[in-house]
Amino acid sequence: MTVAVLSGGTSFEREVSLRSGKRVAEALRGRGYEVIPLDLDAQLVGALTETAVEVVFLALHGQAGEDGSIQRLLDLLGAPYTGSDATASALAWDKSVSKGVLRRNGVTTPDWQVLSADAVREYGAGQALDRIGGQLTFPLMVKPVQGGASLGVRRVERREGLAAAVMSAFHYHPAVLLEQVVAGTEVAVSIVDGTALPAVEIHAKDGAYDFAARYTHGATEFHVPARLDEHVANACADAAVQAWNTLGCRHIMRADMMVDEHGVPWVLEVDTCPGLTETSLLPLSAGAAGLPFDGLCERMIQLATGAV
């Protein structure tokens, strides 16, 4: 089978995407697939229509790969592809939308507010920052409404640091999410074809699981399976599956969450095209479940082509 591995693009996460794509390509070649590496550029449609590509493996991270745009294009071309469809991708990509949909469907997620650059510029909404304390309590997480890899994300301990964090996040997207911090254990639960894999417990050595901690070897300590009581681990798996079903995901997904002191999992966000690098969480979970990386990649091809 001929597989196009699509990675790169122009988002802030281009380099991470290229790393994922290179690793996937090597794994699939090892399994006997003919692999055509493709970048997300103006030659993409021509390359897909002029070659005998049978399935597209999406190793994209960032806007075009995760917001539903490339999925809609591939649907138009009639090309099977790995990962969630355009609707689920678009829902998960916008954190304010996905959190609203999840909460309406009973998934526990921290309280939040959203502030847009347009509102600040056109309506003087910057003055509303002084009222945030009446609805949310510090510390807060300030993050771009759209984006991944913790880019533009900052923890704010006191009101005095809020404006600077918001303005910094505006560099990544013209709307920011102000989210209540939940103290506890940070975990990620990955799902393959509707089944939750063992949770990964995350301990960033410098305290914050930011971009550097995510993609620098040795910067973060992982425990898989997570060091959770069985009933708490089951609750995390249930929350991830509920998020999967609510958003209509398929093939793979990762839910990032915090487990509070009472063992309650709080879903922070959902990633429909999770990283596949050497330090990414989905491959760690799959390995703990007895599914090696090359087997995971082949499984995704099988799901995309209906071979299972």
Side-chain angles (χ1 to χ4, degrees):
M1 181 178 291
T2 302
V3 180
V5 175
L6 184 54
S7 63
T10 58
S11 78
F12 293 112
E13 299 175 66
R14 173 179 172 81
E15 293 305 316
V16 177
S17 173
L18 290 173
R19 286 171 56 183
S20 287
K22 181 180 179 181
R23 191 179 184 208
V24 168
E26 291 173 351
L28 290 176
R29 288 192 183 104
R31 287 269 178 161
Y33 291 86
E34 181 179 349
V35 176
I36 301 175
L38 295 177
D39 206 330
L40 189 60
D41 56 24
Q43 284 71 50
L44 176 62
V45 172
L48 289 175
T49 56
E50 294 168 8
T51 58
V53 171
E54 296 169 80
V55 62
V56 179
F57 194 113
L58 296 182
L60 293 166
H61 311 311
Q63 184 172 359
E66 297 189 54
D67 67 358
S69 298
I70 189 64
Q71 289 82 0
R72 293 187 187 95
L73 176 60
L74 294 174
D75 286 337
L76 180 64
L77 296 174
Y81 56 89
T82 61
S84 289
D85 66 11
T87 299
S89 299
L91 284 173
W93 177 244
D94 190 298
K95 297 177 181 65
S96 64
V97 173
S98 61
K99 282 171 65 72
V101 172
L102 291 173
R103 176 168 285 185
R104 286 184 178 184
N105 285 272
V107 178
T108 303
T109 187
D111 289 340
W112 76 98
Q113 294 292 332
V114 176
L115 186 65
S116 72
D118 283 344
V120 171
R121 182 172 53 251
E122 304 294 339
Y123 315 127
Q127 301 176 46
L129 286 177
D130 292 335
R131 308 186 117 197
I132 290 296
Q135 302 176 33
L136 303 171
T137 57
F138 290 89
L140 301 175
M141 294 302 295
V142 176
K143 57 182 75 172
V145 162
Q146 298 179 8
S150 295
L151 291 168
V153 176
R154 186 182 299 184
R155 179 180 170 121
V156 179
E157 300 292 340
R158 293 177 296 276
R159 185 187 306 277
E160 293 76 18
L162 185 57
V166 168
M167 296 307 295
S168 177
F170 280 153
H171 288 294
Y172 294 90
H173 190 267
V176 299
L177 190 81
L178 312 174
E179 185 177 59
Q180 186 73 63
V181 167
V182 174
T185 303
E186 186 170 4
V187 301
V189 179
S190 297
I191 294 181
V192 175
D193 195 24
T195 300
L197 304 179
V200 179
E201 181 182 345
I202 302 161
H203 285 281
K205 294 181 180 179
D206 288 337
Y209 190 48
D210 55 15
F211 184 86
R214 286 172 181 264
Y215 299 110
T216 302
H217 281 288
T220 302
E221 181 180 0
F222 302 107
H223 299 277
V224 53
R227 298 171 299 179
L228 303 171
D229 291 341
E230 182 178 359
H231 74 280
V232 176
N234 289 338
C236 291
D238 290 344
V241 171
Q242 188 177 3
W244 165 284
N245 291 330
T246 296
L247 299 179
C249 299
R250 69 177 192 182
H251 303 173
I252 58 170
M253 185 204 85
R254 191 192 73 239
D256 299 332
M257 57 187 75
M258 295 295 296
V259 179
D260 69 18
E261 60 181 344
H262 304 293
V264 176
W266 297 72
V267 175
L268 306 177
E269 57 189 78
V270 169
D271 191 340
T272 56
C273 198
L276 296 167
T277 71
E278 295 80 358
T279 58
S280 296
L281 303 178
L282 170 59
L284 285 177
S285 293
L291 183 61
F293 184 73
D294 58 350
L296 170 65
C297 294
E298 184 167 48
R299 174 71 171 166
M300 290 169 63
I301 294 295
Q302 293 169 342
L303 290 169
T305 58
V308 291

